[in-house]
Amino acid sequence: MRNLLLSIFLFLAATISAQTDVTVTNINGQKSFGAKVPAGEYSGITHIAADTFAVVSDKSEGHGFFLMKIQTDETTGEIHDVQNLGYKGTGSGHHDIEGIAYNPHTSKLFISQEADNTISELTLDGKLTGRKITFPDSIANNIRSNMSIESLCYDADWHLLWTATEGPLKQDGEAATATNGKESTVRLFAFDDSLHQTVWYRYKTDKPSSTAQARTFALGVSDLASIGKGRLLVLEREARVTVNYIGSSTITKLYLVDTKDASIGGILPKRLLFSFQTKLSLLRQDWATYEGMCLLPTYSKGQRTLMMVSDSQGQYRGVLKDWFKSIKIGNLQ
């Protein structure tokens, strides 16, 4: 009898766990929308309200963002249409804006700037408020070139703004290359509503999928999305451009991490939710380097839609496209 009761208990525990685990419930194919979306290098996206989103491009002028209307199916999350509503911003010059996050408590936006390793606050009409996060020299002076502050998201439950480096700081070991077969250790940082840093963690990327020579190679964390209450989705992106371009590929992975009981400065355990590959070949031209993502706050049958946007390098040579992709994620309450 005792063994029977134990078996029943373990079965019920496993069933409850399975019912509450975050999971991917529907994956939609990527779509592009031609003339409706100007050629860009879209590197971040955040949801504002209803079907309105703010999107940043790392080659845009000044400090600002594009407003876009993205219509999706409430049940499946499939994208029906994307329209550019115009650019909001101030200033001039290129600041290599990589991430964007919306704070629903203040109706303000934050953008991360890789050029100077800062995070700035903006109003919804694209004006700088003057509030800014500047990293100390111990961090800023140890960031590798083009591996700086890439990600940005806001946890509305815990009032935390999250960011991450794309690649490892100099003191955190080697960066993954096309041929070394090594994982990278990146850092995640959280800031409260007063823009004071509260905690930080380490996160290890996967090893490169191949050690073959490449014309261009990048592997790192390209964005974060907040589920709430300290839980984050981490977007790992591996992009490999072959010497003659044909056979180039990207591998995009979505991991779940939970910071609730994590030790400050420790390595976060991660769980893979899904992964997919895009390629550039004679028969297949769906290459997409996804650099931005965000979760819509509204639920549909216990599920939320994750929106993703890719960087086409300005629709490079008329071959690459500005792709959008959505998936449904369940058990997020």
Side-chain angles (χ1 to χ4, degrees):
M1 173 64 79
R2 182 178 180 180
N3 289 338
L4 176 61
L5 291 175
L6 179 61
S7 297
I8 293 173
F9 172 78
L10 292 174
F11 172 77
L12 291 174
T15 301
I16 293 171
S17 175
Q19 290 175 345
T20 57
D21 277 351
V22 174
T23 184
V24 171
T25 60
N26 190 54
I27 301 174
N28 296 296
Q30 59 188 32
K31 293 183 177 182
S32 63
F33 293 88
K36 292 184 178 181
V37 177
E41 301 190 19
Y42 300 117
S43 50
I45 185 171
T46 191
H47 179 261
I48 297 177
D51 54 10
T52 302
F53 295 74
V55 180
V56 290
S57 170
D58 58 28
K59 293 297 187 293
S60 61
E61 189 77 8
H63 298 86
F65 52 89
F66 294 90
L67 283 177
M68 292 191 184
K69 182 177 182 180
I70 304 178
Q71 296 176 306
T72 60
D73 184 278
E74 182 178 339
T75 302
T76 66
E78 182 179 0
I79 302 169
H80 292 317
D81 190 39
V82 178
Q83 298 179 39
N84 174 37
L85 302 179
Y87 183 75
K88 303 285 186 179
T90 57
S92 61
H94 298 297
H95 302 277
D96 199 358
I97 301 173
E98 296 288 350
I100 186 166
Y102 178 64
N103 181 342
H105 303 299
T106 63
S107 299
K108 298 291 194 305
L109 292 158
F110 289 94
I111 57 172
S112 56
Q113 297 143 193
E114 194 169 39
D116 60 2
N117 307 315
T118 62
I119 298 171
S120 299
E121 186 183 57
L122 287 81
T123 62
L124 287 174
D125 57 359
K127 296 179 180 178
L128 292 168
T129 68
R131 296 213 311 156
K132 178 187 290 189
I133 294 172
T134 301
F135 284 84
D137 290 344
S138 59
I139 299 296
N141 293 341
N142 285 286
I143 293 177
R144 287 181 164 91
S145 176
N146 204 35
M147 292 187 179
S148 181
I149 305 304
E150 186 89 1
S151 311
L152 211 57
C153 70
Y154 185 78
D155 185 332
D157 293 330
W158 284 6
H159 289 252
L160 290 177
L161 180 68
W162 287 92
T163 189
T165 57
E166 181 180 9
L169 300 181
K170 294 175 183 178
Q171 66 263 41
D172 288 340
E174 283 187 73
T177 70
T179 58
N180 70 4
K182 293 187 176 182
E183 61 192 6
S184 292
T185 301
V186 306
R187 295 199 187 193
L188 278 66
F189 304 92
F191 300 85
D192 61 23
D193 284 342
S194 297
L195 305 189
H196 297 138
Q197 184 183 319
T198 60
V199 293
W200 69 278
Y201 304 102
R202 289 184 170 91
Y203 173 93
K204 283 189 177 292
T205 69
D206 290 348
K207 296 178 180 179
S209 59
S210 168
T211 55
Q213 290 284 352
R215 177 187 292 269
T216 304
F217 178 84
L219 190 157
V221 172
S222 57
D223 210 358
L224 303 171
S226 171
I227 294 176
K229 300 178 181 178
R231 296 176 299 168
L232 299 168
L233 301 177
V234 181
L235 186 63
E236 278 192 40
R237 186 273 321 268
E238 177 183 342
R240 180 181 296 271
V241 180
T242 63
V243 176
N244 62 359
Y245 296 104
I246 301 300
S248 298
S249 64
T250 67
I251 300 174
T252 304
K253 299 177 181 178
L254 187 70
Y255 281 98
L256 173 68
V257 299
D258 192 339
T259 67
K260 183 175 64 175
D261 298 317
S263 300
I264 294 178
I267 297 175
L268 292 171
K270 64 182 187 178
R271 179 166 68 86
L272 181 66
L273 295 182
F274 88 110
S275 66
F276 64 95
Q277 186 177 46
T278 67
K279 289 187 176 182
L280 184 63
S281 67
L282 295 177
L283 299 178
R284 182 176 171 184
Q285 296 183 0
D286 62 351
W287 164 280
T289 55
Y290 284 95
E291 294 196 358
M293 67 176 182
C294 68
L295 272 170
L296 279 68
T298 53
Y299 287 86
S300 174
K301 298 181 180 179
Q303 302 178 80
R304 290 169 66 183
T305 298
L306 181 75
M307 187 65 61
M308 305 172 67
V309 63
S310 70
D311 181 348
S312 71
Q313 297 294 309
Q315 297 181 11
Y316 186 69
R317 295 192 177 185
V319 175
L320 303 187
K321 297 181 179 180
D322 296 300
W323 294 106
F324 293 79
K325 186 179 181 69
S326 64
I327 69 171
K328 274 287 187 178
I329 299 181
N331 298 324
L332 293 182
Q333 295 99 323

